[in-house]
Amino acid sequence: MTSFSRRPGGGAALLLALFSGAAAHAQVIGPPDRVSQALAAPLSEAYPADGAGDGVTSAGYNQSRWVEDWSKLRDPAKRRSAIDHLKFIPLDAAGDIYVTLSGELRLRVNETTNPDLKDAQAQRQDIARIVGGADLHIGPHVRVYAELAHAGISGRNIGTPSGYLDNTVIVQQSFADVTAKVAGVKLGVRYGRQTFSDGPNLLLVPRDNNTIFLSYNGFRGWAKARHMRIDMFDFTPTRPGQQGTGDDLNKDTRRFSGISGGLRIPNDWLGGSKLYLDPFYWRLRNTAAVWGATTAHEVREFYGLHLWGDAGPVNLDWTVNYQGGHYDNRPIAAWEVLMAQSYRLGRNHSAPRVGFHADYATGGGAYGTGKLKTALAPLGNNIYYSYQLYATPTNLIAIAPNFSFQPASNLRVSLEYQFSWRETVHDAVYRANGTAFAGTQNAAGRKIAETARAQAVWTVSPHVSVTGRYEHLHAGPALTNAGFKSSDFFAGWISFRF
């Protein structure tokens, strides 16, 4: 029997008890989580709901559970199941003060051949995620949210997992916010530990592929009108410990702040569309940034535009950003152009889609002097390039045709084949965590790899999903000339969410 936790703690036991009580009455969740999909296929349904900077909500559920609105269950007649009663627990007679409970249980297995692209015995990871959250609404203007999470891992050749994969219990989120509506504009301010996804998926996302989400500590404020919005933030990322709630650091070497906006493009453009233009300016400060053999202070500024949405059967997600600032008293000058698009082969939203993504990220200067041209995706979704986390948009050119279809109403299959090259051969090949594959900066060859991937998501019910994932990375000369190998990756998991 496989053990899914090396160190089952008291926090995990408490969360398991919560799940067992809910599951006893539940319909056995898990709508396909778009963040974990391989293909860039955002489905824009409405504005400002999907354009509000909090990720996509599907079937009532969101990766960040505090986004969900269950106030429709204020009417007792609409609470028809045991789960409905957990989503709206009134604490006063009028129902103005209420609690929403949420939770997730995910059991997952990963198998990777030639881990780290080295000739080595395969790695197997048996992984468990357990999350429980409570959302307290005190009238229409005040809300307090708290969320505990447990990450368990065992297997073969797993090395020393980080706090994102192995964690007895962590306060994943804990914040309070205050909102109001003034002259038709929705205003809000939030303070505490929170997930954050107001930006392109490839640059900023809580990373569902992790067991513990990326979270931040600090301030967020927003103003949302009918067709435009603005979001301001100042955060330090959480650095999770592994032993309990007392060893998680509210600050690491980085500080992330900025402004993101949103503007709805008129519907009559392009013959009828739902398109949104999101400009952003971000600033990432890192006291221990590593490029080449140097660790130094870096201040990196992102000036970008994100255009996304639907224009008839065409879906697109385009981002362009220029990165300036300085690193170790050297100027930064880098670019990223990230373009994903697909075409729906039919009128129904479940019709097959054919598309491709084409991405460009500059490199150069990491192992030299003068201007630093290495682009950076600060906190993005790197499974988009490699399920094995062996690629990132730094010194990268990638082109990937893809196809997705539904062989059954509750089964979605995505297929993709990616070609990857270095933007410059005078810089390394970079992993998802931003570190270089050692020696690739001195290896000949522009081609990094060809990567075939497939994913299938079976939505068993509104609460349960099963996902299967496969990837073959065929290493090219930029890797093999430095001693790296090809690799296969297999993963499967079942998710229950309420």
Side-chain angles (χ1 to χ4, degrees):
M1 179 179 294
T2 300
S3 169
F4 280 93
S5 176
R6 297 193 311 173
R7 299 181 289 102
L14 177 64
L15 290 170
L16 278 169
L18 168 65
F19 274 96
S20 62
H25 305 283
Q27 312 169 45
V28 216
I29 154 176
D33 189 342
R34 187 169 64 84
V35 174
S36 67
Q37 295 288 331
L39 310 182
L43 301 177
S44 357
E45 299 295 345
Y47 190 93
D50 277 358
D54 293 327
V56 172
T57 299
S58 176
Y61 294 95
N62 191 290
Q63 184 182 16
S64 297
R65 307 304 302 275
W66 46 264
V67 179
E68 301 165 9
D69 181 5
W70 298 99
S71 59
K72 64 183 180 182
L73 298 177
R74 184 184 308 273
D75 181 357
K78 294 182 179 180
R79 298 178 220 148
R80 298 188 177 92
S81 69
I83 287 182
D84 287 345
H85 286 277
L86 293 173
K87 307 313 285 184
F88 194 98
I89 304 173
L91 301 181
D92 69 337
D96 293 330
I97 304 175
Y98 67 93
V99 174
T100 293
L101 298 181
S102 60
E104 181 183 5
L105 172 63
R106 187 185 75 176
L107 303 178
R108 172 171 175 162
V109 178
N110 294 345
E111 181 89 9
T112 306
T113 67
N114 291 336
D116 294 323
L117 302 186
K118 291 291 190 178
D119 189 7
Q121 185 183 24
Q123 176 193 72
R124 193 191 77 243
Q125 298 172 309
D126 303 327
I127 305 170
R129 171 196 286 167
I130 307 173
V131 183
D135 194 356
L136 172 63
H137 293 257
I138 307 172
H141 303 301
V142 179
R143 184 257 293 277
V144 177
Y145 183 81
E147 185 175 83
L148 295 177
H150 165 77
I153 186 169
S154 61
R156 182 180 64 244
N157 296 333
I158 63 173
T160 305
S162 73
Y164 290 106
L165 293 174
D166 188 13
N167 208 309
T168 300
V169 64
I170 182 175
V171 179
Q172 187 164 260
Q173 299 190 75
S174 177
F175 64 80
D177 62 37
V178 178
T179 58
K181 192 170 184 178
V182 179
V185 178
K186 296 178 181 179
L187 305 175
V189 62
R190 175 177 301 148
Y191 184 78
R193 180 173 295 178
Q194 56 199 276
T195 55
F196 183 66
S197 55
D198 190 2
N201 184 44
L202 297 183
L203 301 183
L204 184 62
V205 74
R207 292 183 177 171
D208 184 73
N209 193 61
N210 291 352
T211 308
I212 302 298
F213 290 156
L214 290 181
S215 65
Y216 308 86
N217 305 275
F219 152 84
R220 180 182 185 183
W222 61 89
K224 299 175 183 178
R226 180 172 174 81
H227 297 305
M228 62 181 62
R229 64 180 182 85
I230 189 169
D231 201 330
M232 298 158 286
F233 60 92
D234 183 27
F235 293 136
T236 56
T238 305
R239 177 175 291 177
Q242 296 180 283
Q243 300 301 322
T245 60
D247 63 351
D248 307 310
L249 300 180
N250 286 348
K251 296 182 179 180
D252 64 5
T253 63
R254 297 166 296 170
R255 185 169 181 176
F256 185 48
S257 55
I259 300 175
S260 295
L263 176 67
R264 177 175 178 169
I265 293 177
N267 284 359
D268 56 0
W269 285 26
L270 302 176
S273 63
K274 289 184 289 187
L275 292 172
Y276 318 106
L277 181 65
D278 296 350
F280 58 90
Y281 165 75
W282 301 337
R283 190 182 189 203
L284 180 64
R285 287 160 281 184
N286 189 346
T287 61
V290 178
W291 294 110
T294 304
T295 300
H297 185 265
E298 177 177 282
V299 177
R300 186 174 291 248
E301 297 176 323
F302 299 78
Y303 305 85
L305 289 173
H306 179 209
L307 177 67
W308 61 281
D310 294 314
V314 176
N315 177 264
L316 57 88
D317 194 328
W318 296 346
T319 300
V320 58
N321 72 91
Y322 172 76
Q323 300 173 18
H326 57 85
Y327 168 76
D328 195 25
N329 295 317
R330 299 164 54 194
I332 297 172
W335 284 91
E336 285 177 330
V337 180
L338 313 170
M339 303 184 69
Q341 44 277 308
S342 66
Y343 183 87
R344 190 178 68 243
L345 303 173
R347 293 183 176 272
N348 194 293
H349 278 286
S350 63
R353 284 182 174 269
V354 60
F356 70 96
H357 70 82
D359 305 304
Y360 171 83
T362 58
Y367 293 85
T369 59
K371 192 174 294 184
L372 182 66
K373 298 181 180 180
T374 51
L376 177 67
L379 302 154
N381 180 20
N382 282 300
I383 61 166
Y384 183 83
Y385 296 107
S386 169
Y387 292 154
Q388 306 171 71
L389 303 179
Y390 291 156
T392 192
T394 300
N395 193 28
L396 178 72
I397 298 172
I399 298 176
N402 49 59
F403 179 62
S404 63
F405 62 99
Q406 288 190 211
S409 61
N410 59 349
L411 177 63
R412 190 77 183 181
V413 177
S414 302
L415 306 173
E416 186 169 75
Y417 199 91
Q418 179 175 303
F419 302 86
S420 304
W421 302 268
R422 288 190 281 189
E423 191 269 339
T424 173
V425 295
H426 302 296
D427 201 349
V429 178
Y430 289 89
R431 307 168 189 262
N433 63 5
T435 62
F437 282 97
T440 54
Q441 73 276 13
N442 299 317
R446 183 177 293 273
K447 188 173 184 179
I448 298 172
E450 294 183 23
T451 309
R453 60 172 63 96
Q455 176 171 282
V457 180
W458 174 30
T459 305
V460 181
S461 80
H463 304 292
V464 172
S465 67
V466 179
T467 301
R469 182 177 285 177
Y470 169 72
E471 176 177 278
H472 174 71
L473 185 148
H474 182 72
L479 289 169
T480 58
N481 288 341
F484 294 97
K485 307 293 183 181
S486 300
S487 177
D488 288 286
F489 174 83
F490 307 83
W493 65 92
I494 182 169
S495 297
F496 166 81
R497 190 184 296 181
F498 73 85

